[in-house]
Amino acid sequence: MRLNRTLLSIVLVVVALVVQVSVLARLQLPGAVPDLLLLVVLALAFVYGHVSGALIGFGAGLLADLVPPADHAAGRYALVLCVIGYFAGLVKPENGQLKSAFVPMVAVVAAAIGSTLLYALVGALVGDTAARHVGLGSLLFTAAVYDLLLAPFVVPLIMAIARRTVNDPLADSSGGGGGDVAAGWLASGTGLRVGSQHGGLRVKVARNRAARAGRIKGVKRL
């Protein structure tokens, strides 16, 4: 990813994690906790694509695994958000712009359910059975509802901010400005062709003058 995209992703992930840990996690809602970090990863993946989405998801999940009050094995949520970010990037809208709210909302519900299931599955593999005591069915339902209610306020805003880094004229010019200028010169060939044409005209004019002078001298001799 480019530097501006990386910096923006880091800032958004850190802000989302702080809000989730300090505000959303303390609301004591029944069932799951609204996953603001998941929505940020989804929004960035919708704009940047599946590769960047997987990288952002892994970094965001790993940060969530290490920040207190995390009580699970490090890397568990990183794996979940990496997978979610990859698949979210596969349904990236054209030019990163939403034409309809249907596909993103379906993606949010699928991501909420999929992340909860994958998190519980990885927990079962490492011996964490907390999801069984809480009730997996209630976790899936509440996670989908909370994220779906929060998504209209988060996803369009994050995508609008992320699109500015994609359409940044400075980034485009710095990334390939020199190559475009050089390619334009090579494609048009204006300077070289004009120079060669002028040189050719000069040679032709000189030859014509020499020929005329030779003819005139020959006539005088006769």
Side-chain angles (χ1 to χ4, degrees):
M1 294 188 296
R2 297 180 180 178
L3 180 61
N4 53 354
R5 299 185 187 182
T6 304
L7 293 177
L8 177 63
S9 301
I10 292 174
V11 171
L12 292 175
V13 165
V14 171
V15 172
L17 184 59
V18 170
V19 173
Q20 181 162 333
V21 172
S22 60
V23 178
L24 299 179
R26 298 186 179 184
L27 294 178
Q28 296 182 354
L29 297 173
V33 176
D35 199 340
L36 181 61
L37 194 61
L38 174 66
L39 297 179
V40 170
V41 171
L42 287 177
L44 293 176
F46 286 156
V47 178
Y48 295 151
H50 60 282
V51 176
S52 298
L55 294 175
I56 295 171
F58 179 81
L62 185 60
L63 187 61
D65 289 333
L66 300 176
V67 171
D71 56 352
H72 54 268
R76 181 175 171 184
Y77 201 47
L79 174 61
V80 173
L81 287 188
C82 180
V83 174
I84 295 298
Y86 177 83
F87 283 103
L90 295 178
V91 295
K92 169 186 173 183
E94 184 178 358
N95 297 327
Q97 296 181 355
L98 296 176
K99 297 181 179 180
S100 173
F102 177 75
V103 175
M105 292 300 102
V106 171
V108 167
V109 174
I113 296 176
S115 62
T116 304
L117 286 175
L118 185 58
Y119 186 83
L121 177 61
V122 175
L125 294 177
V126 297
D128 185 1
T129 59
R132 297 180 182 177
H133 301 291
V134 177
L136 185 59
S138 63
L139 283 177
L140 293 175
F141 178 76
T142 53
V145 171
Y146 295 155
D147 292 349
L148 188 60
L149 293 177
L150 190 60
F153 304 99
V154 177
V155 175
L157 177 61
I158 299 300
M159 292 184 66
I161 297 174
R163 279 199 301 270
R164 294 186 178 183
T165 61
V166 175
N167 300 324
D168 188 2
L170 295 178
D172 294 339
S173 61
S174 63
D180 294 338
V181 173
W185 276 103
L186 292 175
S188 60
T190 304
L192 295 177
R193 291 182 181 177
V194 170
S196 61
Q197 289 176 358
H198 283 309
L201 290 176
R202 290 177 181 176
V203 172
K204 289 182 181 180
V205 171
R207 288 179 180 177
N208 291 334
R209 289 180 180 178
R212 290 179 182 179
R215 291 175 183 176
I216 293 175
K217 291 180 180 179
V219 172
K220 288 182 178 181
R221 289 177 182 176
L222 292 175

